[in-house]
Amino acid sequence: MTDRFGRIIDQLRISVTDRCNLRCRYCMPASGVKLLRNTDILSFEEILDVARAAVGMGITKIRLTGGEPLVRRGVVHLVEKLASIDGLVDLAMTTNGTLLAEHARSVADAGLQRVNISLDTTDPHLYRQMTRCGDIRAVLAGIRAAQAARLHPIKLNCVVGGLLAGSDALSVKEFGRTNGLQVRIIRMMHFERGVFSVVEGGRGGDCRRCNRLRLSSDGSIRPCLFSDVFLSVRRLGPSKSIRLAVAKKPQAGGPCAHQWMYRIGG
Ligand code: SF4
């Protein structure tokens, strides 16, 4: 699919849940989160309907996100079904890594090809402070399990800003270098002000080359992270909502209503 600015739209990011086992300060409010009802979250069958329609229209890359995708029960089954879709070339996941030690082998065997793992610091105390409850040892065990399961490449998503100083990013870069992992630096975003930047080491935030659509866990197709446009796949059906999303994709992101990342998966 090509949008009206000549960009090839070939990636769909699918948030499979708004739930997460961490409470990262830049993602979840201190006051806790109002989670969606189960009936508001797309079923696997609904997600597969959207994915099949999207691949039929030119999407070749799918990335599973959350919340934390590995907390969704049966996600391995979804990976297997997605991996069997003809025309899907690349199947990836963005995860906080804390459950990878348990699931890396099974998602790899089911057809997952690669992972991005969130790691904003190598300092165990700051990690717990940033995630409000996380243990960095679980992420490190997850990285080892992903390597053992031959998921490749493994990239580290490192957020910079707020409590996270540049020095933390440097320590993550060094950790990545010594462990053969690519590191992407993501600067804090501000939706209402439309403030975001190009991901260092990635494509995110580069509107001129933007190739993606997003499906949120409650069934909204979003043409752009920094836009208030979203289309309901339950109301419009997968094909029509995807077609309209491409038609309505803005040339660049701008100020928009605040988005909780745990709902749309970044
Ligand atoms: S702000 Fe919107 S157009 Fe720009 S890179 Fe992000 S999703 Fe794409």
Side-chain angles (χ1 to χ4, degrees):
M1 291 175 284
T2 306
D3 74 3
R4 62 202 153 122
F5 305 103
R7 295 173 296 194
I8 294 173
I9 310 303
D10 60 6
Q11 186 191 106
L12 178 64
R13 301 170 71 94
I14 301 178
S15 169
V16 299
T17 180
D18 63 341
R19 277 127 173 96
C20 186
N21 57 342
L22 297 180
R23 290 287 176 271
C24 299
R25 291 172 186 274
Y26 50 74
C27 179
M28 294 223 179
S31 55
V33 290
K34 189 169 179 318
L35 295 172
L36 294 166
R37 294 170 305 175
N38 283 344
T39 49
D40 293 335
I41 298 228
L42 291 187
S43 67
F44 285 163
E45 261 328 298
E46 289 174 296
I47 292 173
L48 286 164
D49 286 347
V50 176
R52 291 187 191 110
V55 173
M57 298 165 78
I59 292 289
T60 57
K61 307 178 183 92
I62 285 180
R63 177 174 291 278
L64 299 178
T65 66
E68 168 50 43
L70 293 173
V71 302
R72 177 135 187 203
R73 204 175 304 138
V75 73
V76 176
H77 173 67
L78 177 65
V79 169
E80 196 173 12
K81 288 280 186 186
L82 288 169
S84 70
I85 298 176
D86 273 345
L88 185 66
V89 173
D90 178 26
L91 184 55
M93 181 183 281
T94 298
T95 166
N96 64 33
T98 59
L99 300 172
L100 262 182
E102 187 186 337
H103 295 290
R105 172 64 58 195
S106 54
V107 288
D109 291 348
L112 191 75
Q113 294 159 331
R114 57 195 183 97
V115 283
N116 287 35
I117 299 170
S118 308
L119 188 65
D120 305 329
T121 179
T122 55
D123 175 337
H125 304 293
L126 186 55
Y127 182 84
R128 178 170 288 276
Q129 201 186 347
M130 278 307 307
T131 60
R132 293 197 180 103
C133 58
D135 182 342
I136 203 169
R137 292 171 296 181
V139 184
L140 301 178
I143 292 170
R144 289 193 295 276
Q147 289 172 320
R150 300 189 178 289
L151 292 166
H152 184 79
I154 299 171
K155 299 181 182 178
L156 300 179
N157 285 356
C158 176
V159 172
V160 172
L163 278 176
L164 297 160
S167 55
D168 293 296
L170 288 176
S171 70
V172 172
K173 277 186 177 176
E174 182 54 22
F175 174 80
R177 194 186 62 74
T178 52
N179 290 278
L181 309 168
Q182 298 172 30
V183 177
R184 300 150 33 88
I185 303 296
I186 302 166
R187 297 192 191 285
M188 288 270 188
M189 304 181 240
H190 197 289
F191 288 98
E192 291 94 335
R193 291 203 307 269
V195 173
F196 60 93
S197 51
V198 176
V199 172
E200 197 187 305
R203 250 180 117 145
D206 185 355
C207 302
R208 291 161 309 141
R209 298 193 303 140
C210 187
N211 66 334
R212 57 198 66 183
L213 300 175
R214 290 174 170 82
L215 174 65
S216 62
S217 50
D218 61 356
S220 302
I221 295 264
R222 293 169 173 272
C224 167
L225 187 58
F226 277 79
S227 126
D228 292 323
V229 175
F230 55 92
L231 302 121
S232 162
V233 295
R234 280 182 168 166
R235 196 163 51 78
L236 298 168
S239 302
K240 186 171 180 185
S241 46
I242 292 166
R243 224 181 358 263
L244 283 174
V246 174
K248 291 173 181 288
K249 191 170 174 69
Q251 187 162 22
C256 61
H258 182 77
Q259 324 266 355
W260 288 114
M261 293 306 248
Y262 67 88
R263 279 259 171 90
I264 39 181

